[in-house]
Amino acid sequence: MRNFDEFFLMSTVDAKRYAVEVLKYFTADEETVCTEIGDGNINYVFKVYSKKDGRSVVIKQADKLLRSSGRPLDTYRNKIEAAILATEAKLAPGLVPEVYHYDDIMFALSMEDISEYKNLRKELADGKMFSHLAETLSDFVALTLLPTTDLVMDRAEKKKNSAFFTNVELCDITEDLVLTEPYYNYKKRNIIFPGNEEFVKQHLYDDEELHCYVAKLRNNFMNKSQALIHGDLHTGSVFANERGIKVIDPEFAFYGPMGYDIGNVIANLFFAMFNKLYTSSEISEFIDYCKTTISDFFDLSFRKISEQYDKLVNFPLYKNADFKKDYIADIIRDSCGYAGTEIIRRTVGDSKVFDITSVSDAESRIAMERHLIKLGIDLIKNAANITCGADVLEML
Ligand code: ADP
Ligand code: MG
């Protein structure tokens, strides 16, 4: 039996022992069950629970090799995930799983089991409509983002944070997959649905005007260390039930533009809507729900960010009303731009979402993808003219 004093990738048997010996979550004689519940392509996630009373813990382990492709990926991502979850738990109590333990040797993060909440992407695909979604998602972004900026934090502290959260390899993934390849396919990894090759060439590869906007968004992503962002806030990172949400999987976190998180939420809500729009005939209620949720999420996020601003920002120059207005307008612009890049990359890039891939009728899929690409482009090109949720829906 191996000790936990040197890294190795755990099996379910190891994880059970880990929960006893390292976490001391169960006693040695307690009967437990462990299953590997990871459904992502990066890490391993073990759930261990007691047969006696059902108490459970989730252990997320980062291997040195990527689960899907086997290529190396820096395990520091696990430390970043543990640290940002702890920060978010303080800023937005109840909206993330509680971290119980972080292990620097095993690259294992042990946390609260949030199995009572379900993957939001899947719930939306099943047609579930949570009435709280605009409210809870906007709470998450408003409560977690602004307080980590140096408008609010001590500026030296923020610089230290920004160094700690430097996430070279995971940012590199975003810089390529999201902010480069859909427009400049230099790694030849794009997967274009047959029939859309010419459309993609014309609208994404050959549009110089679009490239200027995307270059700005890419440069902005790499240089604007504005706030501690989640970095991968799609609907598969949000778990929901009737009572609320839990946000998981912030391993892409770093100091970047706030609008990246907000834009990701908007884009992924659009995917849920487009899936129904192109697959189902009885759709009007769900489509209306998606539209209202997108629009309300947008408006509530910026209203709440503005309220947070008034409450938390004390530095006299930053209390200047025009500066505040510009600062928030800039976040709005970023949010629309990154909503656009997320929509486009999930459509033509190699990391797709099943909202898109599950549309099995080829003609519908071709039409849906063109519609999505146009929406993405419009959001990117018109970002500066969008001021409210209704304007976002106008882009449809
Ligand atoms: P990856 O980084 O590999 O994408 P995730 O953090 O998304 O891994 O976790 C993969 C899956 O494991 C999630 O989709 C979810 O089903 C499950 N999971 C992760 N964290 C928890 C948790 N705290 N409680 C319950 N299930 C979890
Ligand atoms: Mg992940």
Side-chain angles (χ1 to χ4, degrees):
M1 256 187 332
R2 297 179 73 167
N3 287 326
F4 299 105
D5 51 10
E6 195 184 340
F7 178 84
F8 67 97
L9 179 61
M10 286 191 279
S11 67
T12 50
V13 176
D14 299 318
K16 275 169 74 158
R17 213 158 42 80
Y18 185 89
V20 175
E21 291 172 20
V22 178
L23 302 180
K24 315 225 181 306
Y25 200 78
F26 306 104
T27 55
D29 57 359
E30 202 168 345
E31 232 189 302
T32 58
V33 178
C34 176
T35 37
E36 204 279 317
I37 55 171
D39 56 4
N41 49 21
I42 303 189
N43 303 289
Y44 297 81
V45 182
F46 302 96
K47 171 174 167 159
V48 191
Y49 66 91
S50 161
K51 271 193 162 176
K52 189 176 71 186
D53 57 12
R55 272 180 314 121
S56 55
V57 60
V58 166
I59 305 162
K60 177 168 177 177
Q61 189 179 28
D63 189 16
K64 296 179 179 182
L65 304 176
L66 211 86
R67 183 174 183 157
S68 55
S69 67
R71 81 167 170 88
L73 188 66
D74 191 353
T75 43
Y76 186 68
R77 66 187 190 272
N78 198 252
K79 190 178 184 117
I80 285 185
E81 179 162 349
I84 183 179
L85 280 175
T87 303
E88 289 171 343
K90 281 193 209 123
L91 295 172
L95 297 186
V96 294
E98 186 189 338
V99 175
Y100 298 150
H101 185 264
Y102 171 67
D103 183 333
D104 232 348
I105 296 168
M106 294 297 288
F107 305 118
L109 153 64
S110 300
M111 61 185 142
E112 180 188 358
D113 174 14
I114 54 123
S115 304
E116 282 180 14
Y117 296 75
K118 303 280 172 254
N119 184 314
L120 179 61
R121 188 183 305 286
K122 294 183 183 162
E123 294 294 276
L124 293 171
D126 286 344
K128 295 251 176 68
M129 293 177 272
F130 300 107
S131 54
H132 61 68
L133 211 53
E135 201 65 68
T136 44
L137 285 169
S138 60
D139 274 344
F140 182 77
V141 296
L143 293 173
T144 57
L145 296 174
L146 191 75
T148 64
T149 67
D150 44 21
L151 267 60
V152 176
M153 284 191 73
D154 174 78
R155 56 190 149 134
E157 194 73 16
K158 185 248 179 177
K159 287 185 186 74
K160 273 189 222 150
N161 271 0
S162 151
F164 176 89
F165 286 104
T166 300
N167 202 348
V168 179
E169 294 193 4
L170 281 86
C171 281
D172 185 78
I173 294 177
T174 304
E175 290 153 15
D176 262 344
L177 279 184
V178 184
L179 299 167
T180 304
E181 293 173 53
Y183 315 92
Y184 169 48
N185 188 22
Y186 79 114
K187 289 193 171 171
K188 302 275 178 273
R189 293 192 293 188
N190 289 344
I191 302 171
I192 317 292
F193 195 74
N196 273 344
E197 296 87 347
E198 198 42 47
F199 186 89
V200 166
K201 179 176 177 326
Q202 185 188 341
H203 293 279
L204 298 178
Y205 297 161
D206 291 348
D207 183 346
E208 285 293 330
E209 187 202 349
L210 178 66
H211 291 185
C212 174
Y213 285 102
V214 173
K216 284 183 188 167
L217 287 164
R218 186 181 192 273
N219 184 54
N220 191 60
F221 181 85
M222 293 168 70
N223 291 287
K224 189 190 274 181
S225 32
Q226 184 178 34
L228 179 58
I229 69 170
H230 179 287
D232 195 19
L233 194 51
H234 60 87
T235 40
S237 298
V238 178
F239 278 58
N241 63 21
E242 298 303 334
R243 278 173 289 133
I245 58 166
K246 298 274 180 190
V247 176
I248 64 164
D249 198 16
E251 66 187 327
F252 280 75
F254 77 112
Y255 259 82
M258 285 187 229
Y260 190 75
D261 277 355
I262 299 169
N264 261 281
V265 173
I266 294 167
N268 282 274
L269 292 172
F270 270 125
F271 295 142
M273 175 182 147
F274 271 65
N275 176 278
K276 293 286 175 289
L277 202 54
Y278 282 89
T279 53
S280 176
S281 50
E282 286 160 54
I283 47 166
S284 60
E285 195 194 352
F286 188 81
I287 303 291
D288 286 348
Y289 165 77
C290 289
K291 284 186 178 168
T292 310
T293 304
I294 290 167
S295 177
D296 288 354
F297 166 72
F298 189 96
D299 292 335
L300 285 169
S301 293
F302 293 106
R303 187 190 313 157
K304 288 175 188 176
I305 288 172
S306 169
E307 285 164 7
Q308 286 271 306
Y309 197 107
D310 293 338
K311 197 167 116 195
L312 300 175
V313 177
N314 292 317
F315 190 66
L317 283 174
Y318 296 148
K319 290 190 84 69
N320 176 288
D322 287 334
F323 173 79
K324 178 190 163 189
K325 211 169 125 217
D326 281 356
Y327 187 87
I328 292 182
D330 179 65
I331 307 171
I332 293 181
R333 217 166 28 244
D334 283 353
S335 303
C336 297
Y338 293 120
T341 54
E342 173 72 3
I343 289 173
I344 291 170
R345 75 98 164 199
R346 295 288 193 183
T347 309
V348 303
D350 84 340
S351 179
K352 307 232 187 268
V353 287
F354 74 71
D355 321 39
I356 296 178
T357 54
S358 63
V359 176
S360 53
D361 176 67
E363 242 173 77
S364 307
R365 173 93 180 257
I366 289 174
M368 181 186 68
E369 294 204 355
R370 290 182 186 192
H371 193 173
L372 280 168
I373 291 169
K374 278 193 196 147
L375 171 63
I377 293 172
D378 284 342
L379 282 164
I380 293 171
K381 289 188 176 175
N382 294 304
N385 306 319
I386 294 172
T387 58
C388 61
D391 291 348
V392 174
L393 297 183
E394 276 293 303
M395 297 297 120
L396 283 166

